[in-house]
Amino acid sequence: MKILVTGAAGFIGFHLCSRLVESGHRVVGLDNINNYYDVDLKYARLSELGIAKAEISKDTCITSRRFDTFSFIKADIENQVVINSLFKEEQFDVVCHLAAQAGVRYSIENPHAYVSSNVVGFMNILDAVQRYGIKHLVYASSSSIYGNNTKIPFSEGDNVDRPISIYAATKKVNELMAHTYSHLYGIKTTGLRFFTVYGPWGRPDMAYYKFAQAISQGQAIDVYNHGQLRRDFTFIDDIIEGLVAVICQNGAQRQNYEVFNIGNNTPVALMDFIQCLETSLGLKAQCNYLPMQAGDVFETFADIDKLNQVYNYQPKTSIKQGLKAFAAWYKNYYKI
């Protein structure tokens, strides 16, 4: 298949492109390489895919030096003209839309960036999917849309009408927009609500990455709600297995519009997670205990029965295994 992956220089996008290319698919990666976090990390990911920083120019598609079935274009999803031109020229079979302005806390500081990327940008992708007859759109939603849901675990049928951050609100909007296009035009759309993804080549704005940086530098880590938080941490390899199954339709999905949780189904207490990270890094953390942060939630817990039933999704990586892999990559990448 020929597949477009937006957000290709991002954490999940990079891993997905690698896996799809190695599986024999033709892949075009798209990313605007914004400076929300360290762009050198994004360029390093692209380098692993055979795309050199010096070769990249705006709105120009270049072919990988490592994989002749992978090419990359630096472009903004908000640019409708560029998006339509790319779709018209490439004639994709499937689009996996991962590009978005990420981060719950930053959405409180800069809400307009989220509307521009996550709503306007998503509209451009969705409209191009309809305009150019794409068979299937897979897109990233988020566990954040559950807000302060007190029903545990979080299930796809739960009410998600009360998000508590602009980021979460934009992801809810994406699901509504996808539903509308599926209804109006018969487009197959699949939304995946990601639950706290972690692992090698991760995002520096995520808590576990910040913890590793602070711990390795002998600095205190900020622990919110005095450590009384639980997260459904999901290792990147397990996420990619689920994504590939959905993209390649290795399952029994029959409805045009579907939304699935994709998580680990095993919440971990934050203090246990920190202790495991300490062991993996071989260093001790200094904790700065703080109150709950605005926009944050107490617990995330994914009910993954639906994804398991339709796509046989079965996460296999324990926190111990996952953090060991992340710590090994982290120490190698930063030469610690």
Side-chain angles (χ1 to χ4, degrees), residues 7-36:
F11 174 33
I12 299 174
F14 155 70
H15 282 279
L16 178 61
C17 288
S18 299
R19 174 63 184 279
L20 290 173
V21 170
E22 289 167 358
S23 297
H25 298 286
R26 298 189 65 82
V27 179
V28 175
L30 179 150
D31 203 295
N32 68 353
I33 317 181
N34 67 27
N35 62 359
Y36 170 63

Side-chain angles (χ1 to χ4, degrees), residues 285-296:
Q286 304 171 46
C287 296
N288 178 31
Y289 295 102
L290 297 169
M292 192 74 163
Q293 253 200 343
D296 218 343

Side-chain angles (χ1 to χ4, degrees), residues 135-153:
K135 298 173 186 175
H136 189 195
L137 170 65
V138 182
Y139 64 95
S141 187
S142 169
S143 63
S144 298
I145 72 167
Y146 288 107
N148 277 326
N149 190 355
T150 56
K151 175 184 165 293
I152 298 295

Side-chain angles (χ1 to χ4, degrees), residues 229-270:
L229 299 171
R230 288 166 58 85
R231 291 288 181 269
D232 200 337
F233 294 101
T234 315
F235 189 61
I236 184 62
D237 289 2
D238 293 324
I239 289 289
I240 296 303
E241 286 298 319
L243 261 173
V244 170
V246 173
I247 289 169
C248 297
Q249 286 292 281
N250 298 330
Q253 180 175 331
R254 308 210 183 278
Q255 302 297 319
N256 278 339
Y257 172 82
E258 286 283 12
V259 173
F260 297 94
N261 288 337
I262 182 165
N264 198 41
N265 193 231
T266 310
V268 176
L270 180 58

Side-chain angles (χ1 to χ4, degrees), residues 156 192-195 197 232-246 250-251 260-265 302-317:
E156 292 89 347
L192 295 171
R193 295 173 177 172
F194 292 105
F195 280 72
V197 187
D232 200 337
F233 294 101
T234 315
F235 189 61
I236 184 62
D237 289 2
D238 293 324
I239 289 289
I240 296 303
E241 286 298 319
L243 261 173
V244 170
V246 173
N250 298 330
F260 297 94
N261 288 337
I262 182 165
N264 198 41
N265 193 231
D303 179 344
I304 58 172
D305 285 350
K306 184 179 175 183
L307 192 59
N308 173 263
Q309 290 167 9
V310 178
Y311 287 103
N312 195 33
Y313 173 72
Q314 298 174 318
K316 300 174 181 177
T317 311

Side-chain angles (χ1 to χ4, degrees), residues 34-242:
N34 67 27
N35 62 359
Y36 170 63
Y37 62 79
D38 182 14
V39 296
D40 288 338
L41 178 59
K42 298 180 181 182
Y43 283 118
R45 293 176 185 140
L46 290 174
S47 180
E48 291 290 307
L49 289 166
I51 302 293
K53 179 180 179 179
E55 298 176 292
I56 298 172
S57 58
K58 191 77 170 176
D59 301 337
T60 301
C61 207
I62 59 172
T63 301
S64 164
R65 292 171 289 105
R66 181 179 175 191
F67 304 106
D68 59 7
T69 55
F70 179 73
S71 56
F72 176 78
I73 180 170
K74 181 182 179 182
D76 292 310
I77 56 174
E78 299 99 312
N79 190 327
Q80 187 179 10
V81 173
V82 170
I83 293 301
N84 283 338
S85 176
L86 179 67
F87 273 67
K88 183 178 180 179
E89 181 177 342
E90 297 290 348
Q91 294 294 301
F92 302 110
D93 295 304
V94 179
V95 171
C96 183
H97 180 54
L98 302 176
Q101 178 58 59
V104 169
R105 289 160 189 163
Y106 183 60
S107 72
I108 297 171
E109 302 171 25
N110 189 6
H112 293 284
Y114 289 76
V115 174
S116 179
S117 180
N118 300 6
V119 179
V120 176
F122 187 79
M123 181 72 251
N124 290 339
I125 295 294
L126 191 57
D127 189 59
V129 165
Q130 183 272 327
R131 185 186 301 266
Y132 296 100
I134 306 303
K135 298 173 186 175
H136 189 195
L137 170 65
V138 182
Y139 64 95
S141 187
S142 169
S143 63
S144 298
I145 72 167
Y146 288 107
N148 277 326
N149 190 355
T150 56
K151 175 184 165 293
I152 298 295
F154 299 163
S155 299
E156 292 89 347
D158 294 345
N159 187 299
V160 290
D161 290 339
R162 296 183 178 180
I164 60 172
S165 70
I166 290 297
Y167 170 71
T170 62
K171 289 301 182 178
K172 171 63 176 176
V173 169
N174 288 171
E175 292 184 4
L176 293 172
M177 293 165 72
H179 181 272
T180 301
Y181 264 63
S182 288
H183 173 73
L184 289 175
Y185 304 109
I187 298 169
K188 179 171 281 189
T189 65
T190 307
L192 295 171
R193 295 173 177 172
F194 292 105
F195 280 72
T196 317
V197 187
Y198 74 101
W201 295 100
R203 274 175 35 206
D205 65 313
M206 296 291 284
Y208 73 94
Y209 205 118
K210 289 181 177 180
F211 289 168
Q213 288 178 315
I215 292 170
S216 63
Q217 295 169 11
Q219 299 173 355
I221 62 174
D222 289 338
V223 180
Y224 292 100
N225 202 39
H226 304 281
Q228 300 304 305
L229 299 171
R230 288 166 58 85
R231 291 288 181 269
D232 200 337
F233 294 101
T234 315
F235 189 61
I236 184 62
D237 289 2
D238 293 324
I239 289 289
I240 296 303
E241 286 298 319

